Amino acid sequence: MRLTGGGSQGGHVIEPALSDLARHWVAAVRRTSYLDHGAETLRRRFEELTRRLAGAMRAERFDPRIGTAAGAAIVDLGLTSPEALRHSISVLARLPAVVDGKPADTDEDRFGALLGAFAAGFASASRQRILDDQERIRRAWSRALTDAEHNLQRELHHQAHHDPLTGLPNRVLLYRHLTDTLRDAPDDARIGVCFLDLDEFKTVNDTLGHGSGDRLLVAFADRLRACVNGADHFVARVGGDEFVVVAGGTRSAEDMTELAETMLAELSKPVRLDGHELTVSASIGIVEQPARGADPEELLRAADATLYLAKADGRARYAVFDATRNAEQLLQYGLTGRLAGALERGEFELVYQPLVSLVDGRLRGAEALLRWRHPELGTVSPNTFIPVAEQSGMIHALGRWVLRESCTAAAAWQRSHPDTPLLVSVNVSPRQCTDPRLLEDVEHALADSGLHPANLQLELTETVLMQSTGRPVQTLRKIADLGVRIVIDDFGIGYSNLAYLRHLPVHGLKLAGAFMAGIRSLASDHVDEQIVETVIRLAHTLQMTVTAEGVETADQADRLAALGCDLGQGWHFGRPTDPAGIPALR
């Protein structure tokens, strides 16, 4: 039997019957799945499948692969559910009757084989479709995972190398940039680094809150970006309110100072935050030098140290790296680390310089002078290490030790010469003067040593005493009430306000050594001499003694005695010695 298009057989018209079967087939399976095809497309496709299946039934040589292809074809159309297969077989069960009018034995054999092939084709195509879908899903998942990992990595890299608040590069990326720039720099290349810090930023956080402080930092960073727009410029936030600007290809320090002036001008403009208009200044430390052989860590350290020189000079300004000042700072850094344990290691000692009466030339006492015997640097001057001790807070422990040792030495002098006891004069630093425990320290030193209070003298600088009000002055009055003498050291280089001194617990003045150069028995400096004479006369009027330090010659001692000065101190009377050497000078 052969299917012929538009033909007829046994008096029946074939094509309408097949078309009707195809229409029923579409209606049966369309409800089982969502089909992404229009009705006309489905009609033509199912009519084609129906004709091919009918042709297989009628063909002289039966080929079941037509059924297999038909089963796969409906899967390709999107009909993959078991219901689609069940409805398809139910509709195709009418195919033998449509083809022959009535079933025949051979037709039944062929039809069974054809349906089996149809079902097998459907199952195989469905399985392959599932496998293909799984592979597509796997590939899509793999691509999505890979993309999610290239995005996560990018995000993590950005977070690891950028400041989350301002978006600027952070310290890690700054070091990498500096390292790469210095490594690849030509022999004649130069580099500049600015270390910036907001002045009094803590005040903003304390008064307006950290939220306002953060917004100020963001505004600060935006302004820096506007200033630092050169091709070789790099700006980073390295922590808190600290920022670093790196400029490659500089010609001299002048390039960096011009950039610093531009930044200071831009950053000093008012910023409006939360209804407040703030004007916040910044300080900048500048280093500019050849790039070849430079070290990133050292560059940043030098710029940071120079920043603090700018702050020390008055803030709202820049300072350029100076090798001499840097060496001094390095020394101070080294001393700070060593200072903490120096007292326990016994590296400090006291020497005593004689205090002599200019009236009769007799020994009246000695000033205790602190010395640091550094194991590597040798003897370190108090002018060098006392500021370090003040800054680090070590001055309190050091001051208590000096007070205790001095009182112990003076008590020994007192025991060896009970008729004419010697006083010991001890320097009190500015920070000690404001320490509320100073009175307690004095009381303990006197009690532990057994020294009579009248034989202890405390020396304070004029500036410190003039600036002391409230509790510090009350502490000094209580110390004076114990019987301890209070003396102004280096008088004449500060306020020199004798009228104010009369209201303070002060028993004596020590003239600044600068006046001694003009005091001689012959050819004295008239101005210096008149100043000294006036100070002595007024001090005596206020019931104060006057001591001249820095006396180096007999001429100076004689002239000072003639002017009415009470005590003298200096190399003319003896160099500093250990405590046992003082009584021998009597």
Side-chain angles (χ1 to χ4, degrees), residues 394-536:
M394 271 295 295
I395 193 66
H396 299 298
L398 197 55
R400 281 191 286 272
W401 180 83
V402 170
L403 191 59
R404 187 170 59 249
E405 291 294 310
S406 300
C407 288
T408 300
W413 303 338
Q414 181 175 287
R415 289 191 297 271
S416 63
H417 296 82
D419 296 333
T420 55
L422 304 176
L423 67 82
V424 65
S425 193
V426 179
N427 289 282
V428 178
S429 75
R431 196 160 180 178
Q432 280 180 280
C433 190
T434 59
D435 187 350
R437 295 176 297 177
L438 179 59
L439 173 62
E440 182 182 339
D441 292 340
V442 171
E443 290 175 332
H444 286 169
L446 291 172
D448 293 344
S449 66
L451 180 67
H452 193 281
N455 293 332
L456 174 62
Q457 176 172 285
L458 300 184
E459 295 188 19
L460 295 83
T461 62
E462 179 183 356
T463 303
V464 169
L465 193 57
M466 290 299 184
Q467 291 177 341
S468 295
T469 56
R471 187 168 183 174
V473 172
Q474 293 174 10
T475 300
L476 291 176
R477 290 191 190 279
K478 291 178 180 178
I479 291 174
D481 290 342
L482 295 176
V484 176
R485 288 174 52 81
I486 308 293
V487 171
I488 303 290
D489 192 17
D490 283 334
F491 188 83
I493 61 173
Y495 292 91
S496 302
N497 190 335
L498 285 169
Y500 180 64
L501 287 180
R502 65 181 298 216
H503 301 294
L504 296 174
V506 175
H507 306 94
L509 307 176
K510 288 187 73 172
L511 292 173
F515 291 117
M516 294 306 103
I519 303 298
R520 296 181 293 275
S521 60
L522 298 174
S524 294
D525 183 282
H526 181 66
V527 175
D528 277 351
E529 187 170 297
Q530 263 205 320
I531 292 173
V532 170
E533 184 179 17
T534 301
V535 170
I536 292 172

Side-chain angles (χ1 to χ4, degrees), residues 504-582:
L504 296 174
V506 175
H507 306 94
L509 307 176
K510 288 187 73 172
L511 292 173
F515 291 117
M516 294 306 103
I519 303 298
R520 296 181 293 275
S521 60
L522 298 174
S524 294
D525 183 282
H526 181 66
V527 175
D528 277 351
E529 187 170 297
Q530 263 205 320
I531 292 173
V532 170
E533 184 179 17
T534 301
V535 170
I536 292 172
R537 187 170 61 249
L538 290 175
H540 287 168
T541 301
L542 296 172
Q543 303 299 309
M544 296 180 188
T545 61
V546 179
T547 302
E549 57 183 350
V551 181
E552 298 182 354
T553 66
D555 286 346
Q556 288 176 326
D558 292 341
R559 191 62 196 142
L560 287 165
L563 293 174
C565 190
D566 302 293
L567 298 172
Q569 177 181 354
W571 286 3
H572 171 63
F573 304 107
R575 292 177 180 266
T577 182
D578 58 47
I582 290 299

Side-chain angles (χ1 to χ4, degrees), residues 182-202:
L182 295 173
R183 183 194 61 224
D184 301 334
D187 290 340
D188 59 346
R190 299 182 69 85
I191 191 168
V193 175
C194 287
F195 210 114
L196 298 88
D197 181 90
L198 284 173
D199 297 329
E200 303 296 344
F201 177 68
K202 184 177 183 298

Side-chain angles (χ1 to χ4, degrees), residues 30-48:
R30 195 169 188 178
R31 296 187 297 270
T32 65
S33 303
Y34 171 76
L35 297 176
D36 192 22
H37 303 282
E40 183 61 23
T41 299
L42 288 174
R43 183 187 66 77
R44 288 198 303 268
R45 187 73 180 113
F46 275 83
E47 281 185 354
E48 176 66 22

Side-chain angles (χ1 to χ4, degrees), residues 176-189 291-294:
R176 179 176 298 176
H177 174 78
L178 272 174
T179 301
D180 293 345
T181 300
L182 295 173
R183 183 194 61 224
D184 301 334
D187 290 340
D188 59 346
R292 203 65 165 167

Side-chain angles (χ1 to χ4, degrees), residues 198-426:
L198 284 173
D199 297 329
E200 303 296 344
F201 177 68
K202 184 177 183 298
T203 304
V204 176
N205 278 336
D206 291 345
T207 56
L208 299 181
H210 289 273
S212 294
D214 286 348
R215 288 188 287 277
L216 178 61
L217 290 174
V218 172
F220 188 90
D222 290 341
R223 292 185 178 187
L224 275 183
R225 285 191 186 96
C227 297
V228 183
N229 52 15
D232 294 329
H233 289 171
F234 183 93
V235 58
R237 182 188 178 203
V238 294
D241 58 336
E242 295 179 332
F243 296 80
V244 170
V245 174
V246 179
T250 57
R251 295 161 297 179
S252 66
E254 186 176 349
D255 289 346
M256 297 305 294
T257 58
E258 289 176 359
L259 176 60
E261 288 171 354
T262 300
M263 291 190 293
L264 287 177
E266 181 65 26
L267 298 174
S268 65
K269 294 177 181 177
V271 179
R272 190 156 191 86
L273 288 176
D274 304 326
H276 301 275
E277 191 171 80
L278 304 179
T279 301
V280 182
S281 63
S283 299
I284 304 176
I286 297 173
V287 174
E288 196 280 338
Q289 66 175 62
R292 203 65 165 167
D295 178 70
E297 184 76 33
E298 179 57 26
L299 269 177
L300 292 175
R301 191 211 62 76
D304 190 14
T306 307
L307 161 68
Y308 285 93
L309 294 180
K311 286 188 175 292
D313 289 342
R315 307 188 179 217
R317 64 192 65 207
Y318 63 81
V320 180
F321 174 79
D322 178 81
T324 302
R325 293 184 75 176
N326 182 62
E328 292 174 354
Q329 279 207 320
L330 284 175
L331 174 60
Q332 287 196 336
Y333 290 149
L335 293 179
T336 300
R338 180 78 188 179
L339 185 62
L343 193 57
E344 289 77 11
R345 291 189 295 268
E347 295 176 9
F348 288 102
E349 68 175 7
L350 288 173
V351 293
Y352 298 84
Q353 187 169 40
L355 289 168
V356 176
S357 170
L358 292 176
V359 176
D360 56 17
R362 297 182 64 182
L363 184 69
R364 289 289 182 262
E367 178 183 356
L369 302 174
L370 183 61
R371 296 289 184 264
W372 185 4
R373 308 299 185 191
H374 196 285
E376 298 168 0
L377 302 175
T379 302
V380 182
S381 167
N383 293 336
T384 300
F385 71 78
I386 289 297
V388 177
E390 287 261 308
Q391 258 190 339
S392 65
M394 271 295 295
I395 193 66
H396 299 298
L398 197 55
R400 281 191 286 272
W401 180 83
V402 170
L403 191 59
R404 187 170 59 249
E405 291 294 310
S406 300
C407 288
T408 300
W413 303 338
Q414 181 175 287
R415 289 191 297 271
S416 63
H417 296 82
D419 296 333
T420 55
L422 304 176
L423 67 82
V424 65
S425 193
V426 179

